[in-house]
Amino acid sequence: HRLFLIVHLNGVMCECGYPPEQHLEEAMKPSVFQGKEWDPSKHIQEMPTDAFGDISFTGLGPKVGKYVRVSADTPPRTIYQLMTQHWGLDAPNLLISVTGGAKNFNMMPRLKNIFRRGLVKVAQTTGAWIITGGSHAGVMKQVGEAVRDFSMSSSCKEGEIITIGIATWGTVYNRGSLICPMGGFPAEYVLDEESQGNLSCLDSNHSHFILVDDGTHGRYGVEIPLRTRLEKFISEQTKEKGGNSSTGHSSCKAEGAKERRSRTIYNAITNGTPCVIVEGSGRVADVIAQVANLPVPEITISLIQKKLSLLFRDTYELFTQGKVVEWTKKDIVRSRQLLTIFREGKDGQQDVDVAILQALLKGEGQGSWDHQLKLAVAWNRVDIARSEIFTDDHEWKVSDLHPVMTAALLANKPEFVKLFLEQGVRLKEFVTWDTLIYLYENLAPSSLFHGKLQKVLVEEKERSAFSKVPRVQLHHVAQVLRELLGDSTQLLYPKPKHAERHRLSIAVPHIKLNVRLSLAGAGERRAGEGGI
């Protein structure tokens, strides 16, 4: 929705932040609202959205993204349907939500490279959406550049990473160029950092933008509630589609816009979301990292205040009156089992992707080893499976490994196949008639065998005048094997004489994950990214 303001005027600037000339004519009549306080619920009027369509960044190449301006109370289901049905995005296997400061992002170069490499690796290998605040500053700019560098080095479209910026409409500089009542196809957006002042430019390396409007100008953080609801909704949809969802929140804790960042982690933990705190990514993050392993009685408000005062020094008084100290303490004490501290080189952690997986395993709990294993397979981390899952603490039946064995074969992960064989999977029991058919039915479309198998099916349809292509049977597989191995080989699977037998369904996991990533910046927020 587009939001218009109907307010009483208070001097040169209205309380909404917009100048008088940008109000409706009705708002210019002082008699209507004279003597009344400005109330957003009464003095804001919603109208159909006037900004949506394609977005192109002038002078920055031919890349075209998608954007939409929405009301702050838009239902998450509506936005999700827009993204999947109208923008054509495939539902994500993984949701990485990056939160962090926008100004003076001073992470050490080596740690920054580790984060960028790990982020792209996780996103590319899992079919992820990355959600950030969408601004061309701080952490968000770093994420955009990491995705850009990957895209430039990758020739495979299947590896494209979806990067979604959720920003406050009233803080976007040059947003007037996005107002196209009939849609922008594309809208030409100019990225002008020199003139943006206290507003923020959109980042050209994001592929999609959701611009959240509550009728105010220049107020950061408006998008936080909607972003929280949207990410929760996506997580719920994931769980409903097969029960293979894991909710996670990996966090390089932010120090820019300190109160919003502490609230981000607090909200995540309150929702049972595991968090990764990257030591060295920001001063609040470093405080959490320093005290997270202390006994609970030692984690006191006074200790948090002392450490924050040492790190922030002159700027400490600017935020201690808020909820930062309280939330920081609760981040650690309330659900410390959901926290994973990332330190380079600690416990084999060389990349952020390992820390994220370890955090997700914590979020799954000790009693769900099977789902932990599915996550490890999805991540292709056989080392984590060996060290964290296949231990004396877990008990399982060999038959319980059959679904993940199937998943490993289909995903071409031989190290996991080897691991499962070591853990007792017997091919004589695993390779049933039904399993073989399932495997051949689900070959990668790009594989040579898949193409030849489809050709055999089409030829049989033409010979038999079937109305549709028959389903894969093992005698079809035998024809392809004979073609590939030569006429001297005997048909491995002869054509059955009787009608097609009933085939059992095999529950092979399709891994769905929801991870949040929150990154740090330093100093006061300027081009703020207020998401969670």
Side-chain angles (χ1 to χ4, degrees), residues 47-225:
M47 301 291 287
T49 191
D50 62 354
F52 65 95
D54 301 333
I55 181 172
S56 174
F57 288 80
T58 303
L60 296 176
K63 181 181 177 181
V64 175
K66 299 286 187 182
Y67 78 102
V68 66
R69 178 186 185 184
V70 300
S71 170
D73 61 358
T74 303
R77 180 181 298 275
T78 301
I79 298 177
Y80 184 72
Q81 289 175 344
L82 168 73
M83 299 164 79
T84 55
Q85 298 179 17
H86 296 279
W87 285 353
L89 297 180
D90 293 330
N93 295 328
L94 172 68
L95 181 63
I96 307 174
S97 181
V98 183
T99 304
K103 185 180 178 182
N104 300 328
F105 180 66
N106 293 321
M107 187 186 290
M108 295 295 291
R110 178 175 174 81
L111 183 58
K112 185 186 299 183
N113 290 335
I114 288 174
F115 163 73
R116 288 173 58 158
R117 182 174 65 247
L119 174 67
V120 169
K121 182 178 179 181
V122 170
Q124 191 268 335
T125 57
T126 57
W129 291 357
I130 299 178
I131 294 181
T132 83
S135 299
H136 187 67
V139 174
M140 299 153 285
K141 181 178 179 180
Q142 289 295 323
V143 172
E145 290 179 351
V147 174
R148 176 203 63 193
D149 293 345
F150 166 78
S151 300
M152 292 177 64
S153 63
S154 175
S155 59
C156 180
K157 185 173 177 59
E158 292 180 0
E160 180 182 1
I161 297 175
I162 302 301
T163 314
I164 302 165
I166 303 181
T168 298
W169 169 265
T171 64
V172 176
Y173 185 64
N174 278 338
R175 61 184 179 272
S177 61
L178 302 178
I179 296 177
C180 305
M182 301 304 293
F185 301 105
E188 296 286 342
Y189 182 82
V190 177
L191 197 160
D192 182 7
E193 292 182 274
E194 293 184 0
S195 305
Q196 69 182 8
N198 291 326
L199 300 180
S200 40
C201 290
L202 297 177
D203 182 69
S204 59
N205 294 310
H206 284 63
S207 57
H208 301 76
F209 295 93
I210 299 171
L211 307 177
V212 184
D213 193 359
D214 72 340
T216 62
H217 166 79
R219 296 182 183 177
Y220 286 96
V222 167
E223 82 283 3
I224 291 179

Side-chain angles (χ1 to χ4, degrees), residues 77 274 306 331 418 508:
R77 180 181 298 275
K306 180 179 178 180
D331 288 348
K418 180 180 177 181
V508 178

Side-chain angles (χ1 to χ4, degrees), residues 456-513:
V456 168
L457 294 175
V458 170
E459 289 175 350
E460 180 170 312
K461 172 183 178 296
E462 293 173 348
R463 289 195 304 268
S464 305
F466 290 154
S467 60
K468 59 182 180 180
V469 175
R471 299 187 66 175
V472 173
Q473 293 295 302
L474 289 185
H475 68 274
H476 300 133
V477 173
Q479 293 181 52
V480 177
L481 290 174
R482 190 166 191 178
E483 178 185 346
L484 293 175
L485 299 177
D487 294 339
S488 60
T489 60
Q490 183 179 359
L491 281 176
L492 187 59
Y493 309 115
K495 186 174 182 178
K497 297 180 180 180
H498 304 290
E500 180 181 353
R501 61 191 292 272
H502 175 70
R503 292 184 292 113
L504 302 176
S505 60
I506 303 173
V508 178
H510 178 59
I511 311 300
K512 292 279 189 177
L513 310 172

